[in-house]
Amino acid sequence: MVFRDLWRRASRYANRSASAHRTAAGIWIFDGARLRVPPGRLEAIRAELGLVAEQPFVKPDGVDEVFAILFASRSGSTWLGQLLGSTGLVNDVREWMRPALLTRKAKQMGESDLAAVAAGMMADKAANGRFGFKGGIAALVPFILSCAFSSYRDNFRVVLLRREDVAMQAISLHKARLQRKFTLTAREKVRKKLEVDRSAYDFHQILGHVRTIGTVNDLLAEFAELNELPSLTIYYEDLVEDTPGVIGQVLGHLGLDSAAAVGLTASNVIQRDEVNEAWRARFLQDLARRPRDRELVERLSRRV
């Protein structure tokens, strides 16, 4: 009887895998999940991951709810994840479903099956019956491929993190790429910034980052809509302005006590400096001579 049940579950997984396809609109469908993935991105994520789910996903004991913070780069997601973890109600929210971390987890477990590795990661990192992770498409794809998404679909909530000022976000992304640094070490946190040559300003690079940020935000919002997931959109600037209020909103969205956010303060390290401000002023000046591009930036921002 046990063998028959396992065989049926494995057969159902094989059928789901075989039915994976893209629609004419470019939406990737796997195991009932719908996600629009840019051309070539799915293959790149699979190659980096190097793990395949050959066995059915088994829910880890004690993990009843899952949530994800979805964002485009330089949105303040690391800080948001730390703030949520500091309430004691949820785990420290990091990019636990990122291919590199899952690959490392697979080595620790001595396991090569993606479903087992994803379940192991969730079991290790969950707190109080909830598992939270953050990321973008690169985190969603492994989560879906492992069949964890379909297992938690009815208990999966999404927080969409954005920035009001997309131009400043794009400038921050441009700087991070020049520095090849997206997070700060303990020593760098004391210094609070890494030096960048002002002459490295590049209007077209920054505008390209604006477009990328807009595309990513649209794809992630579409993911929540296509899969009919409960979602909440918050903005980094609001988080800075009213940390307890915004964290309280997120906790309420997750079905938790928002009172746990009382007393939280905006203690994050601001990496923005005079270079960011100078580049922003120059970018807006250049943008003023390009009405079509300015319209794009205005459409993607709550403020310019």
Side-chain angles (χ1 to χ4, degrees):
M1 191 72 174
V2 173
F3 174 79
R4 183 181 300 173
D5 182 56
L6 288 173
W7 181 84
R8 284 175 177 168
R9 288 163 65 190
S11 297
R12 284 199 298 270
Y13 174 79
N15 290 335
R16 288 197 298 265
S17 299
S19 66
H21 66 282
R22 284 183 185 269
T23 67
I27 297 171
W28 173 59
I29 299 177
F30 181 91
D31 196 22
R34 289 167 169 76
L35 174 66
R36 192 185 304 277
V37 185
R41 188 77 174 110
L42 179 60
E43 293 73 19
I45 294 169
R46 277 178 159 154
E48 182 185 359
L49 184 60
L51 300 170
V52 177
E54 296 179 340
Q55 300 297 322
F57 179 87
V58 179
K59 282 186 175 183
D61 292 338
V63 182
D64 304 312
E65 306 271 346
V66 176
F67 68 93
I69 300 171
L70 303 179
F71 61 93
S73 188
R74 313 309 290 173
S75 297
S77 66
T78 298
W79 181 44
L80 174 59
Q82 291 169 347
L83 284 169
L84 288 171
S86 72
T87 66
L89 298 181
V90 300
N91 59 293
D92 184 11
V93 186
R94 303 189 190 185
E95 295 184 61
W96 303 122
M97 288 290 133
R98 189 159 56 93
L101 293 187
L102 289 172
T103 300
R104 187 184 308 166
K105 183 66 176 175
K107 291 179 180 178
Q108 292 172 353
M109 295 174 63
E111 177 63 67
S112 60
D113 188 272
L114 176 58
V117 173
M121 181 71 86
M122 294 171 69
D124 285 351
K125 304 304 179 184
N128 301 317
R130 281 180 174 79
F131 170 73
F133 69 97
K134 70 186 185 78
I137 290 173
L140 286 175
V141 168
F143 187 67
I144 292 169
L145 285 173
S146 69
C147 293
F149 173 79
S150 61
S151 297
Y152 283 97
R153 184 177 191 133
D154 294 336
N155 295 289
F156 183 48
R157 296 177 184 273
V158 166
V159 177
L160 299 169
L161 175 61
R162 298 186 173 187
R163 285 182 68 165
E164 287 185 344
D165 190 341
V166 175
M168 189 62 92
Q169 183 179 359
I171 288 167
S172 178
L173 180 54
H174 182 52
K175 275 186 65 180
R177 296 211 167 167
L178 289 172
Q179 298 164 332
R180 298 183 180 179
K181 201 77 176 176
F182 284 79
T183 57
L184 294 179
T185 65
R187 181 175 296 180
E188 288 160 352
K189 284 181 180 180
V190 174
R191 286 164 41 204
K192 292 192 176 179
K193 65 181 180 180
L194 297 172
E195 297 299 328
V196 171
D197 187 347
R198 282 181 182 237
S199 66
Y201 169 84
D202 188 319
F203 174 81
H204 295 288
Q205 285 282 341
I206 294 170
L207 184 63
H209 291 321
V210 167
R211 292 194 178 100
T212 298
I213 290 165
T215 297
V216 171
N217 283 340
D218 287 346
L219 291 176
L220 296 175
E222 183 187 55
F223 166 74
E225 184 178 348
L226 286 172
N227 294 285
E228 300 180 343
L229 301 172
S231 65
L232 171 71
T233 300
I234 63 171
Y235 289 84
Y236 167 79
E237 289 85 353
D238 292 340
L239 185 60
V240 173
E241 181 90 12
D242 181 14
T243 303
V246 174
I247 295 299
Q249 277 186 297
V250 175
L251 293 176
H253 175 62
L254 301 179
L256 297 169
D257 184 6
S258 60
V262 175
L264 291 177
T265 58
S267 58
N268 64 321
V269 177
I270 303 295
Q271 297 182 51
R272 181 176 67 248
D273 58 19
E274 63 276 5
V275 174
N276 295 65
E277 299 295 345
W279 282 3
R280 184 180 187 277
R282 186 172 172 184
F283 180 75
L284 294 181
Q285 287 177 354
D286 292 342
L287 203 61
R289 296 189 289 271
R290 303 168 67 99
R292 195 170 291 180
D293 291 332
R294 180 175 178 82
E295 183 180 336
L296 170 70
V297 175
E298 290 175 344
R299 180 175 65 81
L300 297 177
S301 309
R302 278 213 306 190
R303 68 180 176 88
V304 178

